[in-house]
């Protein structure tokens, strides 16, 4: 999509949505006002600035890097590029558990040790290199959770009821299928990002009626984030435990 706005515009939209001026952003983030004004005038944001700004917008720092188009450092990337299907399987089983068992599963996931990366980070395949645009942004945010086309489709189904093929999500990323308000709301549920934030980032209207995400969906999207720095084996073990709890 030609003309998709840069981070200066997106940052301004996020701040305006919350009624925050530059002085407010500086005070809340401890980023000097001059540095913020430079970014709002089009200067590229630094990593430290993005890390400090993310909590102001209730965003994960890794997601703000993606929104800003800044490459994630190795220590912020998902740990295991082969884990997508296991993440989707874990989400499917966890979505069917009662609250106390979901809480137990999340505590277990958060307690697992951080293991060393055993595989190099692969270069993105050509079909995953999305052009600038709202769909590409959402698919990059999905990939930030180790969810590609197939794993994403498998995760949307239990959390939103949307039954789409993997290739259809790829077409969204490439701008060949346009975003609708209802699709935006479903992305908000799976990503765990406020739908009004996604609306200002993508330029897509809010749906007429926005249903709140269920407690189960909120817990599962949190779990998906919890496991992004775990290995394939660890996530598979969590999936087995979630399945055994049902």
């Amino acid at each position: 999509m030609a003309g998709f706005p840069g981070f200066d515009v997106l940052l301004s939209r996020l701040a305006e949505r919350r009624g925050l001026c530059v002085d407010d952003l500086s005070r809340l983030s401890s980023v000097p006002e001059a540095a913020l004004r430079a970014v709002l005038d089009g200067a590229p944001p630094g990593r430290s600035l993005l890390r400090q700004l993310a909590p102001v917008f209730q965003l994960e720092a890794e997601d703000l890097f993606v929104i800003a188009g800044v490459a994630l450092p190795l220590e912020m990337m998902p740990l295991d590029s082969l884990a997508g299907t296991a993440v989707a399987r874990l989400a499917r089983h966890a979505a069917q558990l009662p609250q106390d068992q979901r809480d137990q599963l999340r505590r277990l996931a958060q307690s697992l040790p951080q293991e060393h990366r055993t595989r190099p980070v692969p270069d993105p395949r050509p079909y995953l290199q999305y052009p600038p645009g709202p769909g590409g942004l959402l698919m990059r945010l999905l990939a930030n959770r180790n969810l590609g086309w197939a794993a994403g489709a498998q995760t949307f189904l239990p959390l939103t009821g949307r039954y789409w093929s993997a290739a259809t999500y790829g077409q969204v990323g490439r701008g060949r299928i346009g975003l609708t308000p209802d699709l935006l709301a479903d992305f908000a549920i799976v990503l765990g990002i406020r739908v009004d934030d996604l609306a200002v980032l993508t330029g897509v209207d809010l749906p007429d009626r926005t249903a709140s995400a269920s407690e189960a969906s909120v817990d599962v999207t949190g779990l998906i984030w919890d496991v992004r720095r775990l290995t394939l084996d660890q996530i598979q073990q969590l999936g087995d435990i979630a399945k055994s709890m049902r």
Side-chain angles (χ1 to χ4, degrees):
M1 176 179 175
F4 189 69
F7 184 62
D8 53 342
V9 175
L10 300 181
L11 176 59
S12 179
R13 289 179 181 178
L14 286 171
E16 183 178 350
R17 182 74 185 178
R18 287 167 171 75
L20 299 175
C21 64
V22 175
D23 181 65
D24 295 326
L25 288 178
S26 178
R27 174 175 49 81
L28 293 170
S29 66
S30 299
V31 174
E33 187 173 327
L36 287 169
R37 290 193 182 279
V39 171
L40 289 168
D41 286 340
R47 292 177 177 178
S48 177
L49 180 144
L50 293 172
R51 287 188 175 98
Q52 289 173 265
L53 274 180
V56 176
F57 300 113
Q58 295 87 48
L59 291 169
E60 300 289 350
E62 293 87 345
D63 281 342
L64 196 57
F65 273 58
V66 171
I67 292 166
V70 173
L72 286 167
L74 195 62
E75 69 273 11
M76 294 176 75
M77 293 180 179
L79 184 66
D80 197 327
S81 61
L82 301 181
T85 300
V87 174
R89 173 176 176 262
L90 171 61
R92 183 175 71 253
H93 291 313
Q96 300 179 57
L97 298 176
Q99 177 78 62
D100 61 330
Q101 291 182 327
R102 295 196 305 270
D103 291 344
Q104 180 183 347
L105 195 62
R106 288 200 66 184
R107 287 194 297 270
L108 176 58
Q110 293 163 3
S111 73
L112 292 177
Q114 173 74 71
E115 297 190 5
H116 294 295
R117 189 181 296 274
T118 59
R119 283 182 278 268
V121 178
D123 292 331
R125 297 176 181 177
Y127 65 85
L128 297 177
Q129 297 179 24
Y130 307 109
L137 173 60
L138 295 184
M139 291 303 291
R140 283 189 287 272
L141 288 169
L142 203 63
N144 208 23
R145 288 146 178 79
N146 238 334
L147 297 174
W149 294 8
Q154 293 165 16
T155 304
F156 267 78
L157 180 57
L159 295 187
T160 71
R162 184 175 292 273
Y163 187 64
W164 273 12
S165 71
T168 304
Y169 288 98
Q171 296 300 308
V172 171
R174 303 204 66 79
R176 294 171 183 163
I177 292 179
L179 287 173
T180 64
D182 287 343
L183 179 57
L184 189 77
D186 285 353
F187 265 99
I189 290 172
V190 174
L191 294 173
I193 297 176
R194 288 170 40 168
V195 68
D196 55 338
D197 283 343
L198 292 185
V200 298
L201 290 171
T202 60
V204 176
D205 291 337
L206 285 168
D208 293 334
R209 295 181 181 178
T210 305
S212 299
S214 67
E215 289 185 0
S217 294
V218 171
D219 289 343
V220 173
T221 56
L223 178 63
I224 290 170
W225 191 264
D226 293 338
V227 303
R228 68 186 294 279
R229 294 286 297 166
L230 298 181
T231 65
L232 171 60
D233 287 345
Q234 288 173 315
I235 298 170
Q236 286 176 330
Q237 290 170 13
L238 286 169
D240 291 342
I241 292 170
K243 182 179 180 180
S244 72
M245 289 176 165
R246 292 172 52 187

